[in-house]
Every structure is written in C-alpha cells, then in structure tokens.
Amino acid sequence: MTLAGLFWLWEAAPSKRQTALAGYFFGLGFFGAGVSWVYVSLHDFGGMDAPVAVVATALFSAVLALLPGLAGFTLGLFRCKRTILFTLAAPALWLLTEWLRGWILSGFPWLALGYAQVPTSPLAGYAPLLGVYGVSLLTVVSAGLLYLFWRSGDRVLWAGIAVALWIGGFGLKQIEWTQPTGAPLTVSLLQGNIAQDVKWRPEKALGTLQIYLNLAKASSSRLIIFPETAIPLFYEDVPKDYLAALASHAQANGGDVVFGIPEYAPIGKGAYYNSVMTLGSSLSQVYRKSHLVPFGEYIPLKPFFPWFIHQILHIPLDDFSRGDEFQKPLQVGGERVAMSICYEDAFGEELIRQLPAATLLANVSNDAWFGNSIAPQQHLQIAQMRALETGRYMLRATNTGMTAIVDNHGRVTTHIPQFELAALHGKAQGFTGSTPFVRWGNATVLVLAFTMLLLSWKTMRH
C-alpha cells in the first residue's frame, strides 16, 4: 500500500528532481524506521554519546535513502504509459537499487522488501526460483498492479493479473525442490543470554564458560551448537580440560559440538578471526567468518580511521581478518552443515557457495548488540528466507535470541523467547538437491529486471 502511494507521488511529480526527492524521502522514512536499531548498537553497547549516535543513525538512513532516490530519478527518464511504468520500469528500478545496496561498500542487504513475504505469503513461493530479490521485484509489481487498480478504469484486468501472480506463487509453494536424506538429526541450540555489556569482562569469562558447559551437558543431541563468540576467550586461552569435557560429552552422544570463538592464527604478522570450531566424533574443523561488518569487525581505510573505533566507539575485537570466501560445509552430526556467522546469512548468493553439498544450514549470531529492538526479528526473517531459497533447514543459535529451528519451507518450527537462558532441543531433517536459486543465484532475477527495463525503454513516447 505504501509503495502504491509512492507510485502516485512519482506519477504526479513534474520533473526528475521531484521523482528523485519523492523516492529519497520515502527511503528516509523506510530506513529511518527499519534500521533504527543502529542507535541501540552504537549508544547502548558501542559507548557512543547519545546525540552522536542519533546523528550517526540519521546519517546512515540518509545515505541508504539515496538509492530509492536514484530509482525515482531514473524513473523520471522514462516516458512510458502508466501501465508500463508501474508494472515494468518502477519494479525493475527498485529491484536493481536494492540489489546494488546488497554489495556496494561491502553491502547492506538488510530490509530487502522480499523478506516481508516470508513465510506465509504466496509470493514466498518464488523464493526458490528467484531468491529474495525476485520476491522483492514481484512485491513491487504487486504494488504497481494495486496502483493501476486504483487509478485505471480497467480494474478487472489488473485485479486478474495480481490474482494470477499470487496464485502462481501459491502453486510454486507446493513444489518440493529438494529431497530429504537420512533420518532427522537431534539438535540442541544454546542461548546463554549473556548481556553484551558484561560479555567481554575478564572476571565474567569463567561464569560464561560454565553456563555453556552446563547447557551442553544437559543435552543428549547429536549436534550441539553454541552462538557466535559464545566462548569469550581466544581458543588458545581456553582451559584444555574445558575443551576436553565438551569433546567427551559430544562423543558420548555420538555427535559433535559446534562453538563460536575468536581464534588467533599467527600467520605472517598474525591475524585473528571470528570463528566457529567443532569438537566430538568427527575430525575437528574450523569455519572463519568471511563477510565482516565495516567499523564493527574491521576498519575500512584503516590508516585514516583508527581513532573512530578506539575513541568514538568501544567495540572489543574490532579488527578481525577475513576467512576464505570459499569454505566447505562442516561435517558434523552425520550431516554437512553450511555455516554462516552473524549477518553473513543476509547474503544469500554467498551462502549458496557451500551448496548443493550441504544438507543443512546453520547461523550463529550475537544479536545482543541489537538489544530489545526490531532487529532480532528482522534477522530471523532473513534466516527464514535462506531456508526457502535453498530448500533446507536453518538452525539459528543466538546469544539472546531469536534462537530457532526453521524448516525447509521457511517456517519456524520451534524457538526460544528472547532474553532467556535456555537450550532449544529439537530435530532437523537433512536435504539434498538444488533449487533454481542454488544453481543460478541472483543471475536470473537480474536478467529479468534488465529485460523489463529494456521493454519499458522500447515503449517510450518520443
């Protein structure tokens, strides 16, 4: 409905400047509400003064809003019929600027419109074919059809096309793109609920270790997963008897434990990683986070901004090194698990590098950085979309929530409420096979969007 309102503003705008401004101010409201949690991360846990955090959050939203503004400006170049403008040109331009946001300056694909459709909307049925950006595209097409229904005399036509689009999505949801393999795996996802402001205090480390050891020992599951950096020590500093206890318990269960931990790797001048390691019945393995958060996990243009992290923000472990882009799935609990850490799962085309070999997806995160904001729910929606795109279960282990098991249709089968100390015990089914998105990634939807733009351009009135 709000997009249909934006289309009304775009059609009424007398110039490209006005269409750009309409898109920009729409984006300002969209991102101002959607990423308001940035303030919580900067002020509540990053130590930034409140006025500075407000300004930083506003500037972040203002920069992101440039892309809807760009879509509006570019739309102003088209002189098409209303029907072409809002069913082809506008949806394609929105999608391309959304995709651009997902990779420019390392990418921020949060708040892609397609996430709002998971898992129950019929449009979610297109996710295994076109991914989240394809669902975004069809969401904007639906808004265009709604606008035409409102503004055009031929309402039966536009309503019929919209119904056909959504029925098509419903039909696609009935297709099983992947196939189950083996028996369901018993899993335990641990939520330690360690407050962010005490997580890295040295005097709290032993207590944190004990919390997770107790949760792990209470589990009889073949696969036990800790959250991101659940162990607040470098691997080399963890007591050996602690690691031995974890390994022994996992072996007694006939499975493995997967735990998030910072890892120091003295290669060359030395480097440290945001890592996941395994212990238990399988050979010990490591996954190192590759897609890092700018200013949170590494400092862009480091020679020019060292003061930013150390004097403006107070973030521990602020200069991680990147893991390899192409890493193999972890072989644990009898399954092959495609791993991601924190917001790596927002990059669907990167996650599918581990597929179709992987039979399960897993994400470990420390969403305590977001506090009691909307971000953890948004992050869960992202995980649900990854399950839909790949046709596989997604296991989410988080520090403070939302810890959940998501099935291959993107539905949350069970979860732990936020801010509770608990373990989530359940089962996850492994799957094999490839969805079209796993095979082609974002290429299909990008070709579709450019084709829509080309068709729009060819119909322009000269």
mmCIF file of all heavy atoms in Angstrom, residues 169 197 237 299 366:
data_model
loop_
_atom_site.group_PDB
_atom_site.id
_atom_site.type_symbol
_atom_site.label_atom_id
_atom_site.label_comp_id
_atom_site.label_asym_id
_atom_site.label_seq_id
_atom_site.Cartn_x
_atom_site.Cartn_y
_atom_site.Cartn_z
ATOM 1 N N GLY A 169 2.430 -18.075 -7.294
ATOM 2 C CA GLY A 169 3.304 -18.259 -6.136
ATOM 3 C C GLY A 169 2.805 -19.354 -5.218
ATOM 4 O O GLY A 169 3.590 -20.165 -4.705
ATOM 5 N N ASP A 197 26.981 -5.946 27.679
ATOM 6 C CA ASP A 197 27.857 -5.046 28.429
ATOM 7 C C ASP A 197 28.745 -5.766 29.436
ATOM 8 O O ASP A 197 29.635 -5.145 30.031
ATOM 9 C CB ASP A 197 27.038 -3.953 29.132
ATOM 10 C CG ASP A 197 25.936 -4.516 30.026
ATOM 11 O OD1 ASP A 197 25.754 -5.747 30.045
ATOM 12 O OD2 ASP A 197 25.251 -3.716 30.684
ATOM 13 N N ASP A 237 43.499 -19.678 24.715
ATOM 14 C CA ASP A 237 43.422 -19.368 26.149
ATOM 15 C C ASP A 237 42.359 -20.174 26.888
ATOM 16 O O ASP A 237 42.245 -20.061 28.114
ATOM 17 C CB ASP A 237 43.126 -17.872 26.327
ATOM 18 C CG ASP A 237 44.226 -16.990 25.748
ATOM 19 O OD1 ASP A 237 45.397 -17.433 25.763
ATOM 20 O OD2 ASP A 237 43.920 -15.880 25.278
ATOM 21 N N ILE A 299 38.149 -2.117 10.197
ATOM 22 C CA ILE A 299 38.158 -0.680 9.988
ATOM 23 C C ILE A 299 38.465 -0.390 8.523
ATOM 24 O O ILE A 299 39.581 -0.611 8.062
ATOM 25 C CB ILE A 299 39.210 0.012 10.880
ATOM 26 C CG1 ILE A 299 39.012 -0.386 12.348
ATOM 27 C CG2 ILE A 299 39.134 1.523 10.725
ATOM 28 C CD1 ILE A 299 40.107 0.094 13.264
ATOM 29 N N ASN A 366 25.326 -13.130 17.584
ATOM 30 C CA ASN A 366 25.233 -12.463 18.875
ATOM 31 C C ASN A 366 24.374 -11.226 18.690
ATOM 32 O O ASN A 366 24.868 -10.108 18.580
ATOM 33 C CB ASN A 366 26.625 -12.087 19.406
ATOM 34 C CG ASN A 366 26.546 -11.347 20.727
ATOM 35 O OD1 ASN A 366 25.584 -11.512 21.482
ATOM 36 N ND2 ASN A 366 27.541 -10.526 21.016
#
